[in-house]
Amino acid sequence: MDIGQPGDIPLRERGARVSGASQNSIQSLDEAIAESLDAPLERRLGLWSGMAIVMGSIIGSGIFSTPGLILGSVGSVGMSILVWVIGAVVSLCGCAAYMELGTMLPRSGGEKAYLEAAFPWPRELMSFVFCLASIFVCWPTGLAADAVVTGSYLLYAATGVSEGHPAWAERLIGVGVAVLCALAHAYCSRWAIRVQTALTVVKALLLVLVVLVGLSQLRHNALGHDVFKGTSHSANGYATALFKVFFAYSGYTALNYAVDELKDPARTLPRAAMGGLTATAVLYVLSNVAYFVVLSADDVRSAGTTVAGVFFTRVLGAVWGQRVVPVLIASATLGNVMCGTFAASRVIFAAAREGYLPLGAVWGA
């Protein structure tokens, strides 16, 4: 036995023990990360909360701001209402297609999962490109636009003037709205869903109020007898009108991004999505009828993007039209941003779990 260097053996043993402990720690960390990435999500969304998410994702500023623009494109009251009906039918067909995909492939991520199944080669290329475009281009730009609209309506309520606000003020409020929604879903998702459900109720009640006010004014019907008088023959006008209508109906795919969080997704997904879209379509069409019952075609056309404000000013006075209604519309667009943030976060979540994003263990845990 060599006893000339007595410290060598303990030092080697100590190094081996430290190395083994480090490897065990790393292995434990890897296992914890893997378990967090594979952990199933809590199924807490039922029929009514699902419908609220769908309706909240659909109802934004479109129904309150585009009727005048659509009338200007198609030329007549009757054709304007018919375009909204056509948009509802086409959207229901699109929704039915998405429900078929969602029940066949009941996984969160929406189009990501469907592209993986449809294009198995090159492996995951299509879904990766979709996630890249959605996360860095499509979702941020859409949510930013809605957030800026929220800022413009809040300034409208504060000043009583619908135009001429500083662009930097609208954008600053928009940044605050986007950050608030992101933090809410990041740190308290359960309460964020409750808040956006409450905002959806506010939006639906606002549209119900529009319909009821219109029905109360039927004796002063401004529709006239020939509702198709002045109908446009321009294909470009109809294309523009349908584009605005389809944008107003967009959002019915929101639940497809959160299938893993639905209770009994095979039943809840189609019922919540189709039910939410159908209820919204009925409110949209009746709201347009109400606008034209109270306001003449020239009034709607000249109102531009402030149709709802002019509508309530006419029947309830300037305080409602210039103060209260802008706040309600701002809450509608805020709810739209919250629902959009919910759906976008689920795309990020699904992409992170597939390793499409850096720090996937953070975003996908």
Side-chain angles (χ1 to χ4, degrees):
M1 178 181 296
D2 185 5
I3 59 173
Q5 296 180 350
D8 286 351
I9 295 176
L11 184 59
R12 289 178 189 143
E13 290 180 354
R14 193 180 310 133
R17 291 173 183 174
V18 172
S19 177
S22 300
Q23 291 177 357
N24 291 335
S25 299
I26 293 173
Q27 184 177 1
S28 299
L29 179 60
D30 291 340
E31 290 175 355
I33 291 174
E35 289 178 1
S36 66
L37 291 176
D38 295 333
L41 297 173
E42 180 183 356
R43 295 190 180 274
R44 57 190 175 189
L45 299 177
L47 176 61
W48 296 110
S49 56
M51 285 184 63
I53 289 174
V54 172
M55 294 182 69
S57 300
I58 298 174
I59 303 174
S61 61
I63 186 60
F64 305 109
S65 60
T66 58
L69 304 177
I70 291 171
L71 176 63
S73 298
V74 300
S76 68
V77 172
M79 187 56 66
S80 178
I81 296 174
L82 184 58
V83 164
W84 283 94
V85 174
I86 294 172
V89 173
V90 174
S91 298
L92 285 168
C93 293
C95 184
Y98 266 86
M99 295 311 100
E100 183 74 14
L101 291 170
T103 52
M104 288 176 60
L105 301 168
R107 300 194 298 270
S108 291
E111 291 89 342
K112 170 191 167 296
Y114 314 149
L115 290 171
E116 285 179 358
F119 299 97
W121 188 90
R123 185 173 180 270
E124 299 184 354
L125 175 62
M126 292 299 180
S127 60
F128 174 77
V129 172
F130 164 77
C131 290
L132 191 70
S134 297
I135 294 171
F136 294 104
V137 180
C138 301
W139 284 110
T141 52
L143 294 176
D146 285 335
V148 171
V149 170
T150 304
S152 66
Y153 273 103
L154 288 176
L155 291 174
Y156 183 9
T159 62
V161 179
S162 61
E163 298 178 352
H165 307 134
W168 65 266
E170 295 179 350
R171 293 171 183 172
L172 184 62
I173 296 174
V175 169
V177 167
V179 171
L180 176 65
C181 293
L183 291 176
H185 278 290
Y187 291 102
C188 195
S189 179
R190 187 183 298 273
W191 279 100
I193 292 174
R194 291 176 181 175
V195 170
Q196 68 190 33
T197 300
L199 291 174
T200 300
V201 173
V202 171
K203 291 190 283 187
L205 290 178
L206 179 59
L207 290 178
V208 170
L209 179 61
V210 170
V211 173
L212 293 178
V213 169
L215 292 176
S216 69
Q217 300 293 316
L218 279 175
R219 62 182 181 276
H220 306 300
N221 192 348
L223 280 173
H225 298 288
D226 189 2
V227 294
F228 287 96
K229 181 179 180 180
T231 298
S232 173
H233 300 286
S234 169
N236 181 65
Y238 288 104
T240 302
L242 285 171
F243 177 80
K244 291 181 172 64
V245 169
F246 291 145
F247 178 78
Y249 279 115
S250 63
Y252 53 80
T253 62
L255 284 183
N256 289 70
Y257 302 108
V259 175
D260 289 341
E261 298 173 64
L262 290 176
K263 301 174 183 177
D264 191 7
R267 291 169 58 88
T268 303
L269 178 63
R271 291 183 178 185
M274 295 295 285
L277 177 58
T278 301
T280 303
V282 171
L283 289 174
Y284 274 11
V285 173
L286 293 180
S287 294
N288 274 274
V289 173
Y291 288 147
F292 291 114
V293 166
V294 174
L295 304 173
S296 66
D298 292 335
D299 290 336
V300 173
R301 191 180 290 109
S302 62
T305 59
T306 61
V307 173
V310 174
F311 174 86
F312 281 107
T313 299
R314 177 71 57 86
V315 295
L316 298 177
V319 174
W320 264 85
Q322 299 176 3
R323 302 291 183 178
V324 178
V325 171
V327 172
L328 295 177
I329 297 177
S331 69
T333 55
L334 172 61
N336 199 252
V337 175
M338 289 199 71
C339 291
T341 304
F342 170 84
S345 66
R346 271 50 185 178
V347 175
I348 296 173
F349 182 83
R353 285 197 161 191
E354 293 292 339
Y356 295 167
L357 300 177
L359 301 176
V362 176
W363 308 118

